[in-house]
Amino acid sequence: PGFTLVQTEASLYLADARGGSIHRLNSVSTVIWALLETPLLGAEMVDVLQELYPDIGLEQLRKDALAALRFMVKQHLVAEVSSPSG
């Protein structure tokens, strides 16, 4: 909440409510941002990415997804949560 979203062909831009930060998400990060609307496990998110980007290796997609999520948490775009099992 409080973010302004602007979508272009190649990127998604998020501006915070205070206007102090603008974040550009690449195509993989944009997919991850959209997937956050639905509760998914990390492995499920990577499965979706693998379907969309079949030419990228599974391990690279895992690394990219983890890096994108860490960036989003660090920039306070999303909150880090634990799974119910811990």
Side-chain angles (χ1 to χ4, degrees):
F3 285 92
T4 300
L5 291 104
V6 175
Q7 179 86 42
T8 67
E9 277 189 38
S11 300
L12 174 73
Y13 294 88
L14 300 171
D16 69 25
R18 298 174 308 224
S21 298
I22 297 174
H23 305 281
R24 183 185 72 79
L25 304 182
N26 63 19
S27 59
V28 172
S29 296
T30 298
V31 170
I32 291 170
W33 179 262
L35 291 173
L36 291 172
E37 292 288 322
T38 305
L40 294 174
L41 297 174
E44 294 170 321
M45 189 175 287
V46 172
D47 288 344
V48 172
L49 291 171
Q50 194 171 33
E51 289 179 28
L52 294 171
Y53 301 98
D55 295 337
I56 300 175
L58 181 60
E59 191 56 35
Q60 185 62 52
L61 287 172
R62 285 183 183 136
K63 288 178 184 178
D64 290 351
L66 182 59
L69 290 168
R70 284 183 174 157
F71 170 81
M72 290 178 193
V73 169
K74 183 178 178 183
Q75 298 302 318
H76 307 287
L77 299 172
V78 297
E80 187 171 13
V81 295
S82 305
S83 65
S85 60

Coordinates of all heavy atoms in Angstrom, one line a residue:
P1 N 0.8 -1.2 0.0 CA 0.0 0.0 0.0 C 0.9 1.3 0.0 O 1.9 1.3 0.6 CB -0.8 -0.1 1.3 CG -0.4 -1.3 2.0 CD 0.7 -2.0 1.2
G2 N 0.4 2.3 -0.7 CA 1.1 3.5 -0.7 C 2.1 3.7 -1.8 O 2.8 4.7 -1.9
F3 N 2.2 2.7 -2.7 CA 3.1 2.7 -3.8 C 2.4 3.1 -5.0 O 1.3 2.7 -5.2 CB 3.9 1.4 -4.0 CG 4.9 1.1 -3.0 CD1 4.6 0.4 -1.8 CD2 6.2 1.5 -3.1 CE1 5.5 0.1 -0.9 CE2 7.2 1.3 -2.2 CZ 6.8 0.6 -1.1
T4 N 3.1 3.9 -5.9 CA 2.6 4.1 -7.2 C 3.3 3.2 -8.2 O 4.5 3.1 -8.1 CB 2.9 5.6 -7.6 OG1 2.2 6.5 -6.7 CG2 2.4 5.9 -9.0
L5 N 2.6 2.5 -9.0 CA 3.1 1.6 -10.0 C 3.0 2.2 -11.4 O 2.0 2.7 -11.8 CB 2.4 0.3 -10.0 CG 2.6 -0.5 -8.7 CD1 1.4 -0.4 -7.9 CD2 2.9 -2.0 -9.1
V6 N 4.1 2.1 -12.2 CA 4.1 2.5 -13.6 C 4.7 1.3 -14.3 O 5.9 0.9 -14.0 CB 4.9 3.8 -13.8 CG1 5.0 4.1 -15.3 CG2 4.3 4.9 -13.0
Q7 N 4.0 0.8 -15.3 CA 4.5 -0.4 -16.1 C 4.9 0.1 -17.5 O 4.2 0.9 -18.1 CB 3.3 -1.4 -16.2 CG 3.7 -2.6 -17.0 CD 4.3 -3.7 -16.2 OE1 3.9 -3.9 -15.1 NE2 5.3 -4.3 -16.8
T8 N 6.1 -0.3 -17.9 CA 6.5 -0.1 -19.3 C 6.7 -1.5 -19.9 O 6.4 -2.5 -19.2 CB 7.9 0.6 -19.4 OG1 8.9 -0.2 -18.8 CG2 7.8 2.0 -18.6
E9 N 7.1 -1.6 -21.2 CA 7.3 -2.9 -21.8 C 8.3 -3.7 -21.1 O 8.2 -4.9 -21.0 CB 7.7 -2.7 -23.3 CG 6.5 -2.4 -24.2 CD 6.9 -2.5 -25.6 OE1 7.8 -3.3 -26.0 OE2 6.4 -1.7 -26.4
A10 N 9.4 -3.1 -20.6 CA 10.5 -3.8 -20.1 C 10.6 -3.8 -18.6 O 11.2 -4.7 -18.0 CB 11.8 -3.2 -20.6
S11 N 9.9 -2.9 -17.9 CA 10.1 -2.8 -16.5 C 8.8 -2.3 -15.8 O 7.9 -1.8 -16.4 CB 11.2 -1.8 -16.2 OG 12.4 -2.1 -16.7
L12 N 8.9 -2.5 -14.4 CA 7.8 -2.0 -13.6 C 8.6 -1.0 -12.6 O 9.6 -1.4 -12.1 CB 7.2 -3.2 -12.7 CG 6.2 -2.7 -11.7 CD1 4.9 -2.3 -12.3 CD2 5.9 -3.9 -10.7
Y13 N 8.0 0.1 -12.5 CA 8.6 1.1 -11.6 C 7.6 1.3 -10.4 O 6.4 1.4 -10.5 CB 8.8 2.5 -12.3 CG 9.8 2.4 -13.4 CD1 9.4 2.0 -14.7 CD2 11.1 2.7 -13.1 CE1 10.4 2.0 -15.7 CE2 12.1 2.6 -14.1 CZ 11.7 2.3 -15.4 OH 12.6 2.2 -16.4
L14 N 8.2 1.3 -9.2 CA 7.5 1.5 -8.0 C 8.0 2.8 -7.3 O 9.2 2.9 -7.0 CB 7.6 0.3 -7.0 CG 7.2 -1.0 -7.5 CD1 7.6 -2.1 -6.5 CD2 5.7 -1.0 -7.7
A15 N 7.1 3.7 -7.0 CA 7.5 4.9 -6.3 C 6.8 4.8 -4.9 O 5.6 4.5 -4.8 CB 7.0 6.2 -7.0
D16 N 7.6 5.1 -3.9 CA 7.0 5.1 -2.5 C 6.1 6.3 -2.3 O 6.1 7.2 -3.0 CB 8.0 4.9 -1.4 CG 8.9 6.1 -1.2 OD1 8.5 7.2 -1.5 OD2 10.0 5.9 -0.7
A17 N 5.2 6.2 -1.2 CA 4.2 7.2 -1.0 C 4.8 8.5 -0.7 O 4.2 9.6 -0.9 CB 3.4 6.7 0.2
R18 N 6.0 8.6 -0.1 CA 6.7 9.8 0.2 C 7.4 10.5 -1.0 O 7.8 11.6 -0.9 CB 7.7 9.6 1.3 CG 7.1 9.1 2.6 CD 8.2 8.7 3.6 NE 9.1 7.9 2.8 CZ 9.7 6.8 3.3 NH1 9.4 6.4 4.5 NH2 10.5 6.0 2.6
G19 N 7.5 9.7 -2.0 CA 8.2 10.2 -3.2 C 9.7 10.2 -3.0 O 10.4 10.8 -3.8
G20 N 10.2 9.5 -2.0 CA 11.7 9.5 -1.8 C 12.4 8.4 -2.5 O 13.6 8.5 -2.7
S21 N 11.7 7.5 -3.1 CA 12.4 6.4 -3.8 C 11.6 5.9 -4.9 O 10.4 5.8 -4.9 CB 12.6 5.2 -2.8 OG 13.4 5.5 -1.7
I22 N 12.3 5.6 -6.0 CA 11.7 4.9 -7.2 C 12.6 3.7 -7.4 O 13.8 3.7 -7.5 CB 11.7 5.8 -8.4 CG1 10.9 7.1 -8.2 CG2 11.2 5.1 -9.6 CD1 10.9 8.1 -9.3
H23 N 11.9 2.6 -7.6 CA 12.6 1.3 -7.8 C 12.1 0.7 -9.1 O 11.0 0.7 -9.4 CB 12.2 0.3 -6.7 CG 12.4 0.8 -5.3 ND1 13.7 0.8 -4.7 CD2 11.6 1.4 -4.4 CE1 13.6 1.4 -3.5 NE2 12.4 1.7 -3.3
R24 N 13.1 0.3 -9.9 CA 12.9 -0.4 -11.2 C 13.0 -1.9 -11.0 O 14.0 -2.4 -10.6 CB 13.8 0.1 -12.3 CG 13.5 -0.5 -13.6 CD 14.5 -0.1 -14.7 NE 15.8 -0.8 -14.5 CZ 16.0 -2.1 -14.9 NH1 15.1 -2.8 -15.4 NH2 17.2 -2.6 -14.7
L25 N 12.0 -2.6 -11.4 CA 12.0 -4.0 -11.4 C 12.2 -4.6 -12.8 O 11.4 -4.1 -13.7 CB 10.7 -4.6 -10.7 CG 10.4 -4.1 -9.3 CD1 9.1 -4.8 -8.9 CD2 11.5 -4.3 -8.4
N26 N 13.1 -5.5 -13.0 CA 13.3 -6.0 -14.3 C 12.1 -7.0 -14.6 O 11.2 -7.2 -13.8 CB 14.7 -6.7 -14.5 CG 14.9 -7.8 -13.6 OD1 13.9 -8.4 -13.0 ND2 16.1 -8.2 -13.3
S27 N 12.2 -7.7 -15.7 CA 11.1 -8.6 -16.1 C 10.9 -9.7 -15.1 O 9.7 -10.1 -14.8 CB 11.3 -9.1 -17.5 OG 12.5 -9.9 -17.6
V28 N 12.0 -10.4 -14.6 CA 11.8 -11.4 -13.7 C 11.2 -10.9 -12.3 O 10.3 -11.5 -11.8 CB 13.2 -12.2 -13.4 CG1 13.0 -13.2 -12.3 CG2 13.6 -12.9 -14.7
S29 N 11.8 -9.8 -11.9 CA 11.3 -9.2 -10.6 C 9.8 -8.8 -10.8 O 9.0 -8.8 -9.8 CB 12.1 -8.0 -10.2 OG 13.4 -8.4 -9.9
T30 N 9.4 -8.3 -12.0 CA 8.0 -7.9 -12.2 C 7.1 -9.1 -12.1 O 6.0 -9.0 -11.5 CB 7.9 -7.3 -13.6 OG1 8.7 -6.1 -13.6 CG2 6.5 -6.9 -13.9
V31 N 7.5 -10.3 -12.6 CA 6.7 -11.5 -12.5 C 6.6 -11.9 -11.0 O 5.6 -12.2 -10.5 CB 7.4 -12.7 -13.3 CG1 6.7 -14.0 -13.0 CG2 7.3 -12.4 -14.8
I32 N 7.8 -11.8 -10.3 CA 7.7 -12.1 -8.9 C 6.8 -11.2 -8.1 O 6.0 -11.6 -7.3 CB 9.2 -12.1 -8.3 CG1 10.0 -13.2 -8.9 CG2 9.2 -12.1 -6.8 CD1 11.5 -13.2 -8.6
W33 N 6.8 -9.9 -8.4 CA 6.0 -8.9 -7.8 C 4.5 -9.3 -8.0 O 3.7 -9.3 -7.1 CB 6.2 -7.5 -8.4 CG 5.3 -6.5 -7.8 CD1 4.2 -6.0 -8.3 CD2 5.5 -5.8 -6.6 NE1 3.7 -5.0 -7.5 CE2 4.5 -4.9 -6.4 CE3 6.5 -5.8 -5.6 CZ2 4.3 -4.0 -5.3 CZ3 6.4 -5.0 -4.5 CH2 5.3 -4.1 -4.4
A34 N 4.2 -9.7 -9.2 CA 2.8 -10.2 -9.5 C 2.4 -11.5 -8.8 O 1.3 -11.6 -8.3 CB 2.6 -10.4 -11.0
L35 N 3.4 -12.4 -8.7 CA 3.2 -13.6 -8.0 C 2.9 -13.5 -6.5 O 2.3 -14.3 -5.8 CB 4.3 -14.6 -8.2 CG 4.5 -15.2 -9.6 CD1 5.8 -16.0 -9.7 CD2 3.3 -16.0 -10.0
L36 N 3.4 -12.4 -5.9 CA 3.2 -12.1 -4.5 C 1.8 -11.9 -4.1 O 1.4 -12.0 -2.9 CB 4.1 -10.9 -4.0 CG 5.6 -11.2 -4.1 CD1 6.4 -9.9 -3.8 CD2 6.0 -12.3 -3.1
E37 N 0.9 -11.7 -5.1 CA -0.5 -11.5 -4.8 C -1.1 -12.8 -4.4 O -2.2 -12.8 -3.7 CB -1.2 -11.0 -6.1 CG -0.9 -9.6 -6.5 CD -1.5 -8.6 -5.6 OE1 -2.6 -8.8 -5.1 OE2 -0.8 -7.6 -5.3
T38 N -0.5 -13.9 -4.7 CA -1.0 -15.3 -4.4 C 0.0 -15.9 -3.5 O 1.2 -16.0 -3.8 CB -1.1 -16.1 -5.7 OG1 -2.0 -15.4 -6.6 CG2 -1.7 -17.5 -5.3
P39 N -0.4 -16.4 -2.3 CA 0.5 -17.1 -1.4 C 1.1 -18.3 -2.1 O 0.4 -19.3 -2.5 CB -0.3 -17.6 -0.3 CG -1.6 -16.8 -0.3 CD -1.8 -16.4 -1.8
L40 N 2.4 -18.3 -2.3 CA 3.2 -19.4 -3.0 C 4.4 -19.7 -2.1 O 5.0 -18.8 -1.5 CB 3.7 -19.0 -4.4 CG 2.7 -18.7 -5.4 CD1 3.4 -18.2 -6.7 CD2 1.9 -20.0 -5.8
L41 N 4.8 -20.9 -2.2 CA 6.1 -21.3 -1.6 C 7.2 -20.9 -2.6 O 6.9 -20.7 -3.8 CB 6.2 -22.8 -1.4 CG 5.2 -23.4 -0.4 CD1 5.3 -24.9 -0.4 CD2 5.5 -22.8 1.0
G42 N 8.4 -20.7 -2.2 CA 9.5 -20.3 -3.1 C 9.6 -21.3 -4.2 O 9.8 -20.8 -5.4
A43 N 9.5 -22.6 -4.0 CA 9.7 -23.6 -5.0 C 8.6 -23.4 -6.1 O 8.8 -23.6 -7.3 CB 9.7 -25.0 -4.5
E44 N 7.4 -23.1 -5.6 CA 6.3 -22.9 -6.6 C 6.5 -21.6 -7.4 O 6.2 -21.6 -8.6 CB 4.9 -22.7 -5.8 CG 4.5 -24.0 -5.1 CD 3.4 -23.7 -4.1 OE1 3.3 -22.7 -3.5 OE2 2.5 -24.6 -4.1
M45 N 7.1 -20.6 -6.8 CA 7.4 -19.4 -7.6 C 8.4 -19.7 -8.7 O 8.3 -19.2 -9.8 CB 7.9 -18.3 -6.6 CG 8.1 -17.0 -7.2 SD 8.6 -15.7 -6.0 CE 7.0 -15.6 -5.1
V46 N 9.4 -20.5 -8.3 CA 10.5 -20.8 -9.3 C 9.9 -21.7 -10.4 O 10.3 -21.6 -11.5 CB 11.7 -21.5 -8.5 CG1 12.7 -22.1 -9.6 CG2 12.4 -20.5 -7.6
D47 N 8.9 -22.6 -10.0 CA 8.3 -23.4 -11.1 C 7.6 -22.5 -12.1 O 7.7 -22.7 -13.3 CB 7.2 -24.3 -10.4 CG 7.9 -25.5 -9.7 OD1 9.1 -25.7 -9.9 OD2 7.1 -26.1 -8.9
V48 N 6.9 -21.4 -11.6 CA 6.2 -20.5 -12.6 C 7.3 -19.8 -13.4 O 7.1 -19.7 -14.6 CB 5.4 -19.5 -11.8 CG1 4.9 -18.4 -12.7 CG2 4.2 -20.2 -11.1
L49 N 8.4 -19.4 -12.8 CA 9.4 -18.7 -13.5 C 10.0 -19.6 -14.6 O 10.4 -19.2 -15.7 CB 10.5 -18.2 -12.6 CG 10.1 -17.0 -11.7 CD1 11.2 -16.8 -10.7 CD2 9.8 -15.8 -12.5
Q50 N 10.2 -20.9 -14.2 CA 10.8 -21.8 -15.2 C 9.9 -22.0 -16.4 O 10.4 -22.2 -17.5 CB 11.0 -23.2 -14.5 CG 11.9 -24.1 -15.3 CD 12.3 -25.3 -14.5 OE1 11.6 -25.8 -13.6 NE2 13.5 -25.8 -14.7
E51 N 8.6 -22.0 -16.2 CA 7.6 -22.1 -17.3 C 7.7 -20.9 -18.2 O 7.7 -21.0 -19.4 CB 6.2 -22.2 -16.8 CG 5.9 -23.6 -16.2 CD 4.4 -23.6 -15.7 OE1 3.6 -23.0 -16.2 OE2 4.2 -24.4 -14.7
L52 N 7.9 -19.7 -17.6 CA 8.0 -18.4 -18.4 C 9.4 -18.2 -19.0 O 9.5 -17.6 -20.1 CB 7.7 -17.2 -17.5 CG 6.3 -17.2 -16.9 CD1 6.2 -16.1 -15.9 CD2 5.3 -17.0 -18.1
Y53 N 10.4 -18.8 -18.4 CA 11.8 -18.6 -18.9 C 12.5 -19.9 -19.0 O 13.4 -20.3 -18.3 CB 12.6 -17.7 -17.9 CG 12.0 -16.3 -17.8 CD1 11.2 -16.0 -16.7 CD2 12.2 -15.3 -18.7 CE1 10.6 -14.8 -16.5 CE2 11.6 -14.1 -18.5 CZ 10.8 -13.8 -17.4 OH 10.3 -12.6 -17.3
P54 N 12.0 -20.8 -20.0 CA 12.6 -22.1 -20.1 C 14.0 -22.2 -20.5 O 14.7 -23.2 -20.3 CB 11.7 -22.8 -21.2 CG 11.1 -21.7 -22.0 CD 11.0 -20.5 -21.0
D55 N 14.6 -21.1 -21.1 CA 16.0 -21.1 -21.5 C 16.9 -20.8 -20.4 O 18.1 -20.8 -20.5 CB 16.2 -20.1 -22.6 CG 15.4 -20.5 -23.9 OD1 15.1 -21.7 -24.0 OD2 15.1 -19.7 -24.7
I56 N 16.4 -20.4 -19.2 CA 17.2 -20.1 -18.1 C 17.3 -21.3 -17.1 O 16.2 -21.9 -16.8 CB 16.7 -18.8 -17.3 CG1 16.7 -17.6 -18.2 CG2 17.5 -18.5 -16.1 CD1 16.1 -16.4 -17.6
G57 N 18.4 -21.6 -16.7 CA 18.6 -22.8 -15.8 C 17.9 -22.7 -14.5 O 17.7 -21.5 -14.0
L58 N 17.5 -23.8 -13.9 CA 16.7 -23.8 -12.7 C 17.5 -23.1 -11.6 O 17.0 -22.3 -10.8 CB 16.4 -25.2 -12.3 CG 15.6 -25.4 -11.0 CD1 14.2 -24.7 -11.1 CD2 15.4 -26.9 -10.8
E59 N 18.8 -23.4 -11.4 CA 19.6 -22.8 -10.4 C 19.7 -21.3 -10.5 O 19.7 -20.6 -9.6 CB 21.0 -23.5 -10.3 CG 21.8 -23.1 -9.1 CD 21.1 -23.4 -7.8 OE1 20.4 -24.5 -7.7 OE2 21.2 -22.7 -6.8
Q60 N 19.8 -20.8 -11.8 CA 19.9 -19.4 -12.0 C 18.6 -18.7 -11.6 O 18.6 -17.7 -11.0 CB 20.3 -19.1 -13.4 CG 20.5 -17.6 -13.7 CD 21.6 -17.1 -12.9 OE1 22.7 -17.6 -13.0 NE2 21.4 -16.0 -12.2
L61 N 17.5 -19.4 -12.0 CA 16.2 -18.8 -11.6 C 16.0 -18.8 -10.1 O 15.5 -17.8 -9.5 CB 15.0 -19.7 -12.2 CG 14.8 -19.5 -13.7 CD1 13.8 -20.5 -14.2 CD2 14.4 -18.1 -14.0
R62 N 16.5 -19.8 -9.4 CA 16.4 -19.8 -7.9 C 17.2 -18.6 -7.4 O 16.8 -17.9 -6.5 CB 17.0 -21.1 -7.3 CG 16.1 -22.2 -7.5 CD 16.7 -23.5 -6.8 NE 15.8 -24.6 -7.0 CZ 16.2 -25.8 -7.4 NH1 17.5 -26.1 -7.5 NH2 15.3 -26.8 -7.5
K63 N 18.4 -18.4 -7.9 CA 19.3 -17.3 -7.4 C 18.6 -16.0 -7.7 O 18.6 -15.0 -6.9 CB 20.6 -17.4 -8.1 CG 21.5 -18.5 -7.6 CD 22.8 -18.5 -8.3 CE 23.7 -19.7 -7.9 NZ 24.9 -19.8 -8.6
D64 N 18.1 -15.8 -8.9 CA 17.4 -14.6 -9.3 C 16.2 -14.3 -8.5 O 16.0 -13.1 -8.1 CB 17.0 -14.6 -10.8 CG 18.2 -14.6 -11.8 OD1 19.4 -14.4 -11.3 OD2 18.0 -14.9 -13.0
A65 N 15.4 -15.3 -8.2 CA 14.2 -15.1 -7.4 C 14.6 -14.7 -6.0 O 14.0 -13.8 -5.4 CB 13.4 -16.4 -7.3
L66 N 15.6 -15.4 -5.4 CA 16.1 -15.0 -4.0 C 16.6 -13.6 -4.0 O 16.3 -12.9 -3.1 CB 17.1 -16.0 -3.6 CG 17.6 -15.8 -2.2 CD1 16.5 -15.9 -1.1 CD2 18.7 -16.9 -1.8
A67 N 17.4 -13.3 -5.0 CA 18.0 -11.9 -5.0 C 16.9 -10.9 -5.1 O 16.9 -9.8 -4.5 CB 19.0 -11.8 -6.2
A68 N 15.9 -11.1 -6.0 CA 14.8 -10.2 -6.1 C 14.0 -10.0 -4.8 O 13.6 -8.9 -4.4 CB 13.8 -10.6 -7.3
L69 N 13.7 -11.1 -4.2 CA 12.9 -11.1 -2.9 C 13.7 -10.3 -1.8 O 13.2 -9.5 -1.1 CB 12.5 -12.5 -2.5 CG 11.5 -13.1 -3.4 CD1 11.3 -14.6 -3.0 CD2 10.1 -12.4 -3.2
R70 N 15.0 -10.6 -1.8 CA 15.9 -9.9 -0.8 C 15.9 -8.4 -1.0 O 15.8 -7.6 -0.1 CB 17.3 -10.5 -0.8 CG 17.4 -11.8 -0.1 CD 18.8 -12.3 -0.1 NE 18.9 -13.5 0.7 CZ 19.9 -14.4 0.6 NH1 20.8 -14.2 -0.3 NH2 19.9 -15.5 1.3
F71 N 16.0 -8.0 -2.3 CA 15.9 -6.6 -2.7 C 14.6 -6.0 -2.2 O 14.6 -4.9 -1.7 CB 16.1 -6.5 -4.2 CG 15.9 -5.1 -4.7 CD1 16.8 -4.1 -4.6 CD2 14.6 -4.7 -5.3 CE1 16.6 -2.8 -5.0 CE2 14.4 -3.5 -5.7 CZ 15.4 -2.5 -5.6
M72 N 13.5 -6.7 -2.5 CA 12.2 -6.1 -2.2 C 12.1 -6.0 -0.7 O 11.5 -5.0 -0.2 CB 11.1 -7.0 -2.7 CG 11.0 -7.0 -4.2 SD 9.7 -8.1 -4.8 CE 10.1 -8.2 -6.6
V73 N 12.6 -6.9 0.1 CA 12.5 -6.8 1.6 C 13.4 -5.7 2.0 O 13.0 -4.8 2.8 CB 12.9 -8.1 2.2 CG1 13.2 -8.0 3.7 CG2 11.9 -9.2 2.0
K74 N 14.6 -5.6 1.5 CA 15.6 -4.6 1.9 C 15.0 -3.2 1.6 O 15.3 -2.2 2.4 CB 16.9 -4.8 1.2 CG 18.0 -3.8 1.6 CD 19.3 -4.1 0.9 CE 20.3 -3.0 1.3 NZ 21.6 -3.2 0.6
Q75 N 14.3 -3.0 0.5 CA 13.8 -1.7 0.1 C 12.4 -1.5 0.7 O 11.8 -0.5 0.4 CB 13.7 -1.6 -1.4 CG 15.1 -1.7 -2.1 CD 16.0 -0.6 -1.6 OE1 15.7 0.5 -1.4 NE2 17.3 -1.0 -1.4
H76 N 12.0 -2.4 1.6 CA 10.7 -2.2 2.3 C 9.5 -2.2 1.3 O 8.5 -1.6 1.5 CB 10.6 -1.0 3.2 CG 11.8 -0.9 4.1 ND1 11.8 -1.8 5.2 CD2 12.9 -0.2 4.1 CE1 12.9 -1.5 5.9 NE2 13.6 -0.6 5.2
L77 N 9.7 -2.9 0.2 CA 8.6 -3.1 -0.8 C 7.6 -4.2 -0.4 O 6.4 -4.2 -0.7 CB 9.1 -3.4 -2.2 CG 10.0 -2.3 -2.8 CD1 10.7 -2.8 -4.1 CD2 9.3 -1.0 -3.0
V78 N 8.2 -5.2 0.3 CA 7.4 -6.3 0.9 C 7.9 -6.6 2.3 O 9.1 -6.2 2.6 CB 7.5 -7.6 0.0 CG1 6.9 -7.4 -1.3 CG2 8.9 -8.1 -0.1
A79 N 7.1 -7.2 3.1 CA 7.5 -7.6 4.4 C 8.0 -9.1 4.4 O 7.4 -9.9 3.7 CB 6.4 -7.5 5.4
E80 N 9.0 -9.4 5.1 CA 9.5 -10.8 5.2 C 8.6 -11.5 6.2 O 8.4 -11.0 7.3 CB 11.0 -10.8 5.7 CG 11.6 -12.1 5.7 CD 13.1 -12.1 6.0 OE1 13.6 -11.0 6.4 OE2 13.8 -13.1 5.7
V81 N 8.2 -12.7 5.8 CA 7.4 -13.5 6.7 C 7.9 -14.9 6.7 O 8.5 -15.3 5.8 CB 5.9 -13.5 6.3 CG1 5.2 -12.1 6.4 CG2 5.7 -14.0 4.9
S82 N 7.6 -15.6 7.8 CA 8.0 -17.0 7.9 C 6.9 -17.9 7.5 O 5.7 -17.5 7.6 CB 8.4 -17.3 9.4 OG 9.4 -16.5 9.8
S83 N 7.2 -19.1 7.1 CA 6.1 -20.1 6.9 C 5.5 -20.5 8.2 O 6.1 -20.4 9.2 CB 6.7 -21.3 6.1 OG 7.6 -22.0 7.0
P84 N 4.3 -21.0 8.2 CA 3.6 -21.4 9.4 C 4.4 -22.4 10.2 O 4.3 -22.5 11.4 CB 2.3 -21.9 9.0 CG 2.0 -21.3 7.6 CD 3.4 -21.1 7.0
S85 N 5.2 -23.2 9.5 CA 5.9 -24.3 10.2 C 7.3 -23.7 10.7 O 8.0 -24.5 11.3 CB 6.2 -25.4 9.2 OG 7.0 -24.9 8.1
G86 N 7.5 -22.5 10.6 CA 8.7 -21.9 11.2 C 9.6 -21.2 10.2 O 10.4 -20.5 10.3

